[in-house]
Amino acid sequence: MKNQIVKNVLLYLGGGILCVVLLFWSLESFNVAQGHWEAEIGQAEQQLALTLRLAGREDWSLRRQVVFSDKEAGVHPAGTFSLPEQAEQMRGNKVTFEDTTILPGRVKFEWEGHQFDLMPDRLTVDGKHYNWKNQEPIALVKKTDLAGLR
């Protein structure tokens, strides 16, 4: 009787471990297929530009370019960075929030005095929402300190 109980416990325990492993494996496979956020530093005309996009998904075209009207190109070295993993490699970047449990997730960061919030349903820059479907560049100028003007 005791041997039967031990066998049943080991059988159920083994089956439970197998189910957990299969669950994590399937979630990981699903997550990899969802893509990830990228930020590309470059230029538009003579101004600094930051292109934000969802990489790794050909069927989902999430891409917007942000042009810093008051910054000349070359202020930052050109490059492409996976967010949030490579965010610290972007000089002056500060990630303020990330939730990439299920990719692409949400990434919030501050760069060049502006706040960016990347989500699959919208892009928010300095509190203003932008639609991913619109392909017009977002033009930004440096924020002024209104308290210092008084």
Side-chain angles (χ1 to χ4, degrees), residues 59-76:
D59 59 330
W60 238 8
S61 180
L62 303 184
R63 181 181 195 276
R64 284 300 292 263
Q65 185 179 53
V66 179
V67 178
F68 297 83
S69 302
D70 59 337
K71 297 277 185 186
E72 288 187 24
V75 173
H76 291 277

Side-chain angles (χ1 to χ4, degrees), residues 90 92-96 108-116:
M90 284 176 64
N93 187 14
K94 178 184 174 193
V95 174
T96 57
K108 291 174 75 172
F109 65 96
E110 295 175 3
W111 192 68
E112 282 298 322
H114 299 277
Q115 299 172 342
F116 300 89

Side-chain angles (χ1 to χ4, degrees), residues 32-52:
V32 168
Q34 298 309 305
H36 62 279
W37 296 115
E38 277 187 349
E40 180 181 353
I41 300 172
Q43 69 181 51
E45 304 287 326
Q46 298 300 318
Q47 280 83 34
L48 176 66
L50 181 68
T51 302
L52 302 168

Side-chain angles (χ1 to χ4, degrees), residues 112-129:
E112 282 298 322
H114 299 277
Q115 299 172 342
F116 300 89
D117 189 355
L118 305 171
M119 293 175 278
D121 62 335
R122 70 178 176 266
L123 165 65
T124 305
V125 181
D126 294 334
K128 184 175 178 186
H129 301 298

